[in-house]
Amino acid sequence: MNESRSALWLERLQQRQRRIKRPELVVEGVLRRMVGLTLEAEGCEAAVGSRCQVVGKGASLEAEVVGFGGDRLYLMPTGELFGLTPNARVIPQPGVTAAKVGPGLLGRVIDGSGRPLDDLGPLDTEAEMPLNGRAINPLSRAPIAEPLDVGVRAINAMLTVGRGQRMGLFAGSGVGKSVLLGMMTRYTNADVVVVGLIGERGREVKEFIDHSLGQEGMKRSVVVAAPADASPLMRLHGASLATAIAEYFRDQGKQVLLLMDSLTRYAQAQREIGLAIGEPPTTKGYPPSVFAMLPRLVERAGNGDVGGGSITAFYTVLAEGDDQQDPIADAARAILDGHIVLSRSLADAGHYPAIDIEQSVSRAMINITEPAHRQAMQRFKQNYSLYRQNQDLISVGAYQKGSDARVDAAIAAYPKLMEFLRQDASVAVDFAGSLQGLMALMGEEKGA
């Protein structure tokens, strides 16, 4: 009796194992509708984030599931839609997209799908990372405890950045944003540099590689390019892929510099997708999903576990019409650890880098600098702001010397302050040199 029960149990176990090993039957669907960039498929099931192959009479393309409603899937193509016909076959693909990573990415240029763009052969990627990252317990993160030398005097001295900090670079068009990014790329003390060029002009990709990185800089860098003509889905994936690559090197104990240009184009790509699948628009047409995705992307950067690697991130934010109250700029200010604002008036006057010291702030500076450094920075800002507040009176000659001793001191110091903030793009100023220059300048001012 016991032997028969054992045989029955063994047979059922073998049947269960055969069912597990048997691949599931893929049920194909049919393309029923296309509105703008959105494809609506019927008759198949697939998870959000998974891929489907859409096969028509004149074209075959890959699309990703971005939503569903009722018995229909909403898909967004990863490439061009030309040649697609009604009633095309929609074939779900197994698995969810992951990022292929490894040391072989160093020195390479890839697109938002992880395919090489540099004609240097196949990629040597030995590992995979989740494209959308993994949540980190905030209590397990190492604190921001040491300054990071970015090679830019105005930032080192006045807006000190900590290793593992996440900063925003707020700028309109044509005020030197790309040049400043290039300076930080070349001069920052980091093991690995990951650059995400998201939604920018295609010509800027090669210019950034040739002029900003150069041959030496490219050896320690990975460039992910999803330019403006890429689909909105590829622009989203480009930002996620760049962050996943940075996470991989951080997990290897490396000190990583992540530069993403730009966070605004990332938000605009999600706006295109959200509106296409029927999300309600809120502020300036941005749907709620945009403001949910921004912190998820940004929180993936920063320090890892205590004693491990770090990701110091700079995200550019395009202020439309130089409006610093743009909804994306406002949301980014709330979730980042500080912001550097570039001023059009300074750029128009030929002052580079055009950093507006009054509007910029580093929230981690107080924890990573010495009291003497902070006091010198505060005196610098006081003189700078006092001059700017009285600039109109000074310019028209309405201010009389001797009316206010503080204003007199600010007027005398202003040319030296402006000279301190200027820096040629081809010259690096390290952290020690920046601090020494600030202390010497404020010592002269205090003595005067």
Side-chain angles (χ1 to χ4, degrees):
M1 188 69 177
N2 290 335
E3 292 180 1
S4 62
R5 285 182 178 179
S6 298
L8 181 60
W9 177 83
L10 182 60
E11 183 181 355
R12 288 177 177 174
L13 178 62
Q14 290 172 344
Q15 289 175 350
R16 189 181 302 114
Q17 289 174 339
R18 285 195 295 269
R19 284 199 299 271
I20 292 173
K21 291 179 181 179
R22 185 179 61 192
E24 293 184 3
L25 182 65
V26 176
V27 179
E28 296 183 8
V30 178
L31 182 64
R32 291 302 188 194
R33 190 180 180 204
M34 184 179 83
V35 180
L37 294 176
T38 308
L39 309 178
E40 296 185 16
E42 193 176 68
C44 60
E45 291 184 0
V48 173
S50 63
R51 297 286 178 92
C52 293
Q53 197 70 25
V54 183
V55 182
K57 295 179 180 178
S60 175
L61 59 89
E62 193 177 48
E64 183 172 310
V65 180
V66 295
F68 54 86
D71 58 351
R72 293 197 172 189
L73 292 179
Y74 299 132
L75 303 104
M76 191 69 63
T78 60
E80 300 291 344
L81 283 169
F82 299 120
L84 203 59
T85 57
N87 299 318
R89 296 163 57 205
V90 179
I91 308 170
Q93 305 296 309
V96 177
T97 306
K100 295 186 180 298
V101 294
L105 288 172
L106 292 175
R108 303 301 300 269
V109 183
I110 59 178
D111 66 7
S113 293
R115 295 186 293 258
L117 295 173
D118 50 15
D119 298 326
L120 295 179
L123 296 170
D124 181 15
T125 49
E126 58 188 27
E128 287 189 350
M129 292 285 289
L131 189 63
N132 293 317
R134 56 178 179 81
I136 300 179
N137 186 333
L139 297 181
S140 67
R141 283 186 185 268
I144 300 173
E146 60 177 305
L148 176 71
D149 181 8
V150 299
V152 180
R153 182 168 50 222
I155 298 177
N156 282 340
M158 305 298 298
L159 303 164
T160 308
V161 176
R163 195 176 292 280
Q165 191 171 348
R166 298 159 302 189
M167 293 284 285
L169 187 59
F170 292 67
S173 56
V175 295
K177 165 178 57 68
S178 298
V179 175
L180 181 56
L181 276 181
M183 292 173 68
M184 290 190 290
T185 303
R186 291 192 302 273
Y187 305 144
T188 298
N189 181 18
D191 299 324
V192 176
V193 178
V194 181
V195 181
L197 300 176
I198 311 301
E200 297 300 313
R201 294 182 290 269
R203 70 170 180 81
E204 290 186 340
V205 176
K206 185 165 179 58
E207 286 182 4
F208 192 90
I209 294 170
D210 292 343
H211 300 152
S212 298
L213 286 173
Q215 291 185 352
E216 286 302 315
M218 195 62 201
K219 291 179 182 178
R220 60 167 183 160
S221 303
V222 184
V223 178
V224 181
D229 60 347
S231 70
L233 190 64
M234 282 298 98
R235 280 176 266 151
L236 285 185
H237 279 197
S240 298
L241 177 58
T243 308
I245 293 170
E247 288 175 316
Y248 167 77
F249 285 109
R250 178 184 62 189
D251 292 347
Q252 304 300 311
K254 305 290 187 182
Q255 307 301 327
V256 183
L257 175 66
L258 171 63
L259 302 174
M260 191 167 296
D261 187 13
S262 68
L263 197 64
T264 304
R265 303 298 188 208
Y266 173 82
Q268 289 173 348
Q270 178 57 28
R271 176 172 65 180
E272 291 180 47
I273 293 174
L275 295 179
I277 63 176
E279 265 197 274
T282 53
T283 310
K284 280 197 175 180
Y286 288 101
S289 62
V290 171
F291 302 101
M293 290 182 69
L294 285 175
R296 284 206 298 268
L297 179 72
V298 170
E299 282 296 320
R300 292 168 61 183
N303 285 329
D305 296 334
V306 176
S310 69
I311 301 174
T312 306
F314 287 87
Y315 300 91
T316 65
V317 180
L318 302 177
E320 296 183 7
D322 296 327
D323 178 18
Q324 298 300 327
Q325 304 307 316
D326 176 83
I328 299 303
D330 199 44
R333 253 193 307 269
I335 58 179
L336 292 169
D337 302 324
H339 51 271
I340 300 169
V341 178
L342 300 187
S343 165
R344 185 170 300 279
S345 62
L346 288 174
D348 291 343
H351 177 103
Y352 292 102
I355 299 174
D356 189 330
I357 295 299
E358 289 183 297
Q359 295 192 54
S360 305
V361 65
S362 171
R363 295 177 181 172
M365 184 173 179
I366 191 172
N367 297 321
I368 56 176
T369 54
E370 299 295 331
H373 182 176
R374 295 196 296 273
Q375 290 168 8
M377 179 270 293
Q378 289 166 0
R379 288 201 305 273
F380 186 108
K381 276 195 166 185
Q382 287 166 0
N383 279 337
Y384 183 88
S385 298
L386 198 56
Y387 181 91
R388 295 296 294 268
Q389 290 166 10
N390 293 275
Q391 189 167 12
D392 291 341
L393 294 175
I394 297 168
S395 299
V396 300
Y399 175 77
Q400 297 296 321
K401 185 177 181 180
S403 301
D404 189 327
R406 296 180 307 152
V407 177
D408 291 342
I411 293 173
Y414 188 71
K416 293 181 179 179
L417 303 184
M418 296 301 287
E419 185 61 32
F420 178 83
L421 295 176
R422 290 191 186 95
Q423 183 176 333
D424 190 272
S426 61
V427 177
V429 182
D430 62 15
F431 186 83
S434 302
L435 180 56
Q436 183 179 359
L438 175 64
M439 301 300 287
L441 179 60
M442 289 298 97
E444 289 179 11
E445 184 273 333
K446 189 175 182 181

